[in-house]
Amino acid sequence: MEFRRKDLLGIAELTPDEIRHILATAASLKEISARPIKKVPTLRGKTVVTVFYEPSTRTRMSFEIAAKRLSADTLNLTVAASSAVKGETLMDTAHNLEAMQPDLLVIRHPASGAPHYLARRLKCGVINAGDGLHEHPTQALLDLLTVQEAKGRLDGLKVAIIGDIAHSRVARSDIQAFLKMGSEVTVAGPATMLPPHLESLGARVTYSLEEAVAGADVIMMLRLQLERMGQMFLSTLREYSRFFGLAPRHLKLAQPDVIIMHPGPLNRGVEISPEVADGPHSVILEQVTNGVAVRMAMLYLLIGGEKA
Amino acid sequence: MSLLIQNGLVVDPAQALAAPRDLLIEGGEIVALEPAGSIPAEGRRVIEARNLVVTPGLIDMHVHLREPGEEYKETILTGTQAAAAGGFTAVAAMPNTRPVNDNSAVTRFIREAAQVAGLARVYPVGAISMGSLGQTLSEYGDQKAAGVVAFSDDGHPVMNPMLMRRALEYARTFDVPLIAHEEDLDLRANGVMHEGRVSLELGLRGIPAAAEESMIFRDLALLQLTGGRLHIAHVSAFGSVALIRTAKAAGLTVTAETAPHYFSLTEEAVRGYDTFAKVNPPLRTAADVVAIKEGLADGTLDAIACDHAPHTSLEKDLEFEAAAFGLIGLETSLGLSLKLVHDGVLSLSQLVAAMSTNPARILGLPGGTLAVGSPADVTLMDPNREWTVDANTFASKSRNCPFNGWTLKGRAVMTIVGGKVVWEG
């Protein structure tokens, strides 16, 4: 099939066929990163600009490595959100960048919908690298790829997503992505972190970690954003870790071949115990590797191929 | 010179009248209202109103004219032009200008500017507290003497219940109503749209309906304590309608308004991060829309007021969470409200009551009726004329209209203020 989009804004817009196509493309590009010379000329002469209004190490690096392996030129702009407030508007920044004629803008922004706002107004392609509480589509795609590799399928799997769903764009993208591909999704966390109407997305909701992981094929732990402490979402870290931290005893409740995922960075000893994070069920580093492959696929599908 | 409006269907709920009548205007007043065909036309300017509805001038009791201070968004002149074009002969102007209308000097400035404009009448609303800072009461008696018709914290809810109690008591002293913007700011936090399914999907922080309902409950309890008159602004939620209905049944002196967007749009309008659909209180659910219509139909909600809130691209062409709340409504309010009549939700008389009779009664304004001796503020409307909303043609300076491109059925065709035709279309 052909991938006919200008932008990748969210999982919400993608069809299951498009997702399968992206995953297949990523799987075929993954091999490049394993070569002694990790570079192909596919995107030679293309320019990819990453604009990050929020701090990020791995996502920005992952995009940059992906672009370089395809021979695109990359340019990184990190904007402290506070100085953006004082200075020019997002639109002006974007128009200025566009005037330098990049082919693709990769943007992370604290405002939900900011990439959509830009995509409507810019001629170049836009990849959402995380917008506010809304979506982080390449994370969900790399999660799908990782699960597909481990399980050989996505259909019919039981996926548990644990933690702060309310403030997680990863959760919003993952819930939709796994549901679209035919998995069952259960989310768990304290009620303060489970927004109303979650069921309307098609997920099962529970307040019990044990219940969520029972029989699970995949357990996805979300990073607890420590700044939520003191904002009435939680009592203490100690209590959070006791009730919602994944420990070895929980794995006994899941399928024997359960895989453990985490979008990183880890709060070891808070949402995940070191034994689990480093244990045989963990695919956390495989996620990082697949992140590069999925981002190579998105760059290729948006600005490479026949449209080049 | 006298003006004769002939053969129109005169709808005047204050006189329980809905029948063809001739209306004669002289010296800025209504001097005769007689069965159609009975007032001779000789020597008079005649307006043929066959197939038109003739009503007491519409009154929008909740608008933001932005002057003084934000004249780039709207001025008293452009705002009253928009009012006249929408069929309104009078508007009540909220005090959140710069400076805030918390003293008689600002009040006098607004009234004088409105007089110079010479279009719709402008009734200033004063601030409940000095600077709308929620700390000390402003000068209610002095401002009333200067022409203020009510006091409101619109846009800056009174969070301190003791201040709200004293404001109700102090307003009672001067026999003016308080207009309350009911919203618990702690519960709203940094919410930008209704908390519900759409906010979840869009990843936008939500404002639960409880933020409105809980404050209405507080203020109704205070009203029970203090007496006086409380008017609840821009009711948007199902639970709010139920609370007000119960309070009215219990005999509390409470009145309430809603805005056309609360019965015309839902949270779905925000999809695509459309900042024109960002408004406070937020657009809610289909069930809330049903409740708002029921509230209007059974009289729980007394008035329709559009909360005209002009903003330019500087405030609206931004990321959703950075954009300002508010939409403009003066030029679409009647068309959207007439849909309630076409859909059988309201009778024409009920609509006129909500858009003229009741606002006049609540604020103690002249007008709101076509009874002989009343000021000659008259709206002529063609309830069946279809038209397409084009915000670029609006008299308002701003364009933040989420109804752009909609086809509406019914609009004002003539607006008369004090016997003078101020708008014709």
Side-chain angles (χ1 to χ4, degrees), chain A residues 89-91 109-114 116-117 120-121 131-135 165 167 172 176 195-201 228, chain B residues 186 194-206 267 271-275 285 313-314 316-322:
Chain A
T89 63
L90 175 60
M91 200 65 233
H109 198 280
S112 300
H116 308 64
Y117 170 79
R120 273 199 303 273
R121 289 162 176 81
D131 65 321
L133 313 178
H134 180 221
E135 282 230 43
I165 309 293
H167 298 96
R172 276 181 181 70
Q176 298 183 77
H197 305 278
L198 262 179
E199 298 85 352
S200 72
L201 298 181
R228 301 289 166 221
Chain B
D186 288 320
H194 175 67
E195 179 175 309
R197 183 177 172 160
V198 179
S199 68
L200 173 70
E201 288 180 32
L202 295 182
L204 291 172
R205 288 184 169 80
E267 56 181 348
R271 285 194 195 277
Y273 300 92
D274 182 358
T275 60
T285 68
S313 63
L314 291 176
K316 284 294 195 181
D317 190 8
L318 294 172
E319 310 86 283
F320 193 87
E321 34 192 85

Side-chain angles (χ1 to χ4, degrees), chain A residues 6-279:
Chain A
K6 168 179 158 289
D7 314 294
L8 174 69
L9 299 177
I11 297 296
E13 293 87 16
L14 297 178
T15 65
D17 275 344
E18 285 176 308
I19 292 173
R20 272 187 281 273
H21 184 58
I22 295 167
L23 297 181
T25 308
S28 72
L29 293 173
K30 191 176 173 182
E31 164 271 331
I32 295 168
S33 298
R35 294 180 192 175
I37 297 182
K38 305 178 181 61
K39 205 173 183 75
V40 294
T42 315
L43 297 183
R44 195 168 56 197
K46 301 283 183 184
T47 309
V48 175
V49 180
T50 66
V51 191
F52 276 62
Y53 284 81
E54 278 182 354
S56 153
T57 318
R58 81 185 58 201
T59 303
R60 193 175 55 71
M61 272 187 60
S62 181
F63 271 107
E64 193 175 346
I65 289 174
K68 287 185 155 65
R69 292 205 172 140
L70 295 174
S71 300
D73 295 313
T74 62
L75 189 144
N76 304 308
L77 176 65
T78 306
V79 192
S82 56
S83 71
V85 169
K86 288 178 213 149
E88 64 184 354
T89 63
L90 175 60
M91 200 65 233
D92 284 333
T93 306
H95 278 311
N96 275 280
L97 288 171
E98 194 178 47
M100 301 178 208
Q101 295 168 301
D103 298 281
L104 196 65
L105 220 58
V106 176
I107 181 165
R108 169 168 289 187
H109 198 280
S112 300
H116 308 64
Y117 170 79
L118 290 182
R120 273 199 303 273
R121 289 162 176 81
L122 296 183
K123 289 187 286 294
C124 70
V126 174
I127 291 183
N128 179 3
D131 65 321
L133 313 178
H134 180 221
E135 282 230 43
H136 190 354
T138 55
Q139 177 71 42
L141 291 166
L142 74 87
D143 288 340
L144 290 178
L145 181 62
T146 306
V147 172
Q148 185 168 274
E149 283 181 352
K151 301 288 175 191
R153 65 191 169 109
L154 294 167
D155 188 48
L157 295 177
K158 293 182 81 169
V159 178
I161 303 178
I162 316 295
D164 184 357
I165 309 293
H167 298 96
S168 174
R169 54 195 173 211
V170 173
R172 276 181 181 70
S173 288
D174 268 334
I175 290 170
Q176 298 183 77
F178 281 104
L179 289 172
K180 281 189 182 192
M181 302 316 286
S183 307
E184 285 171 41
V185 176
T186 302
V187 299
T192 49
M193 295 181 159
L194 300 175
H197 305 278
L198 262 179
E199 298 85 352
S200 72
L201 298 181
R204 198 166 69 91
V205 178
T206 166
Y207 305 129
S208 156
L209 171 58
E210 286 75 12
E211 205 182 308
V213 301
D217 299 292
V218 176
I219 301 174
M220 168 96 57
M221 302 306 295
L222 298 175
R223 171 181 167 76
L224 181 71
Q225 292 169 285
L226 298 179
E227 63 268 27
R228 301 289 166 221
M229 306 300 303
Q231 290 184 355
M232 300 184 227
F233 292 104
L234 289 176
S235 175
T236 59
L237 274 189
R238 175 180 165 276
E239 181 166 274
Y240 184 83
S241 148
R242 177 175 165 193
F243 287 93
F244 298 101
L246 192 71
R249 66 191 156 89
H250 296 116
L251 303 194
K252 298 192 182 79
L253 305 170
Q255 294 293 336
D257 62 346
V258 65
I259 57 171
I260 309 302
M261 306 178 74
H262 191 296
L266 304 176
N267 294 306
R268 286 175 178 267
V270 180
E271 71 267 4
I272 190 163
S273 74
E275 296 90 324
V276 175
D278 304 329

Side-chain angles (χ1 to χ4, degrees), chain B residues 24 33 45 67-68 87 181 249 251 280-281 285 288-289 353 368 374 388 419:
Chain B
L24 185 63
L33 181 64
R45 178 178 169 193
E67 188 179 0
H181 172 142
N280 188 14
T285 68
D288 294 291
V289 167
S374 306
T388 301

Side-chain angles (χ1 to χ4, degrees), chain B residues 77-96:
Chain B
L77 175 63
T78 59
T80 52
Q81 281 169 341
F88 293 94
T89 59
V91 296
M94 285 294 156
N96 60 336

